[in-house]
Amino acid sequence: MKKVLIKCGGSILDELSHDFFSSLHDLKKMGYEIVIVHGGGADINKMLEKLNVTPEYDNGLRKTNEETLQVVELVLSGQTNRKLVQLLESHQLKAMGIHGSDSGILQAELIDQQRLGLVGEVKEVNDEIINHLFQKNLIPVITPIASNKLGQKLNVNADYAAAAVANALGVEHCIFVTDVVGILLNGELAKELTVDKVEENITNGNIYGGMIPKVQSALAALEKGISSVMIVSGKSAFYQQGKWLGTKILRKEVMTK
């Protein structure tokens, strides 16, 4: 069974095009099972601002106390997840929203409670439930909320959660959906780059501005052990007639032929 994981940032949901969903249909026709892990950082921050809570980060991870976790869970499960499932269903793609903490789908341990609060790192993924949904021809749409052995809910970085699910399922492709077609170098779309080449192009200024956080999200996922990540656009098709459209970033130095 061929599998593909799609990581969708919350900020791109309102910009997903009809062609994007057509690519999902094409993947299904080619025999791929699709699982989606999504974030929702921008919407979470908006809600926190309404509550007069200032978001705090440490090394890219959201500091999460009990109050913040309640907001994170409310936004991810009650807003972002619902929105994405509805979009899939409206494009005739059967989907089911799942909270990552349900049935131990994402099982995590605290990273550093004193420094980060209720932020976890995924240690195990209950792939049995995900595979069961595949058998029912459903696309699982998972929030990056995990639980620990005590049943305590933990906030997980969506990039890291995506990498953990990708590793557990042994997916063929890990796709990061953004608002750009990929990495442009001197005006040309780079089809494949190693991590070293990406870092070199950030240093020399060829990758700059808003592209840097998109690339850094992909690099963060690669650090968790998956072999490659592809950056694609949610505003257009990213898979057509068996061809991928975007930039693949490889963890290893060996480029694919």
Side-chain angles (χ1 to χ4, degrees):
M1 185 189 295
K2 299 188 296 183
K3 301 167 188 171
V4 58
L5 180 135
I6 294 175
K7 186 265 174 175
C8 222
S11 59
I12 191 64
L13 293 192
D14 292 329
E15 300 183 72
L16 295 176
S17 69
H18 176 77
D19 288 338
F20 170 81
F21 293 102
S22 293
S23 289
L24 298 185
H25 277 289
D26 287 347
L27 285 170
K28 297 286 281 185
K29 288 174 185 174
M30 292 297 290
Y32 281 100
E33 298 291 353
I34 300 167
V35 58
I36 298 175
V37 174
H38 67 84
D43 286 337
I44 291 167
N45 286 344
K46 286 178 185 175
M47 182 65 75
L48 287 172
E49 286 172 18
K50 289 180 181 178
L51 298 171
N52 295 316
V53 177
T54 302
E56 292 184 70
Y57 295 88
D58 184 312
N59 223 10
L61 298 176
R62 182 190 297 277
K63 289 186 177 183
T64 308
N65 57 21
E66 289 281 359
E67 181 185 19
T68 301
L69 183 61
Q70 288 179 9
V71 173
V72 169
E73 188 173 11
L74 173 68
V75 172
L76 289 177
S77 61
Q79 181 176 331
T80 317
N81 191 276
R82 295 292 87 214
K83 185 189 297 183
L84 185 47
V85 169
Q86 185 177 7
L87 282 168
L88 290 161
E89 296 275 358
S90 69
H91 287 86
Q92 291 73 55
L93 290 155
K94 293 174 66 180
M96 179 170 286
I98 309 173
H99 214 33
S101 61
D102 292 347
S103 299
I105 289 176
L106 299 181
Q107 300 165 47
E109 294 177 2
L110 286 161
I111 296 175
D112 184 338
Q113 188 166 8
Q114 186 172 356
R115 181 169 62 90
L116 295 168
L118 300 174
V119 177
E121 180 178 6
V122 178
K123 297 297 183 180
E124 289 184 54
V125 175
N126 187 343
D127 58 347
E128 184 179 343
I129 291 176
I130 298 172
N131 283 315
H132 179 71
L133 293 175
F134 287 157
Q135 292 168 11
K136 299 297 183 182
N137 196 33
L138 290 164
I139 296 175
V141 182
I142 305 172
T143 65
I145 298 286
S147 60
N148 63 13
K149 291 179 180 178
L150 300 175
Q152 184 180 36
K153 291 179 182 177
L154 302 175
N155 185 18
V156 178
N157 176 282
D159 301 328
Y160 296 165
V165 174
N167 278 325
L169 293 175
V171 301
E172 287 193 13
H173 301 280
C174 185
I175 309 298
F176 272 46
V177 182
T178 70
D179 58 358
V180 295
V181 294
I183 299 174
L184 297 177
L185 298 178
N186 300 317
E188 295 288 329
L189 177 66
K191 292 186 177 180
E192 284 190 352
L193 293 169
T194 61
V195 169
D196 287 348
K197 283 293 182 183
V198 169
E199 291 173 343
E200 180 184 312
N201 278 287
I202 291 174
T203 301
N204 65 26
N206 287 330
I207 297 175
Y208 58 91
M211 192 65 218
I212 291 178
K214 296 177 179 65
V215 170
Q216 287 175 333
S217 287
L219 296 183
L222 289 170
E223 288 175 2
K224 296 300 179 181
I226 53 179
S227 59
S228 68
V229 169
M230 179 167 281
I231 294 176
V232 307
S233 174
K235 295 181 176 181
S236 59
F238 66 91
Y239 182 83
Q240 285 182 320
Q241 300 175 335
K243 292 184 179 180
W244 297 91
L245 308 172
T247 299
K248 179 183 278 189
I249 303 176
L250 297 151
R251 184 162 57 91
K252 297 180 179 178
E253 283 298 328
V254 181
M255 299 286 278
T256 59
K257 295 181 180 179

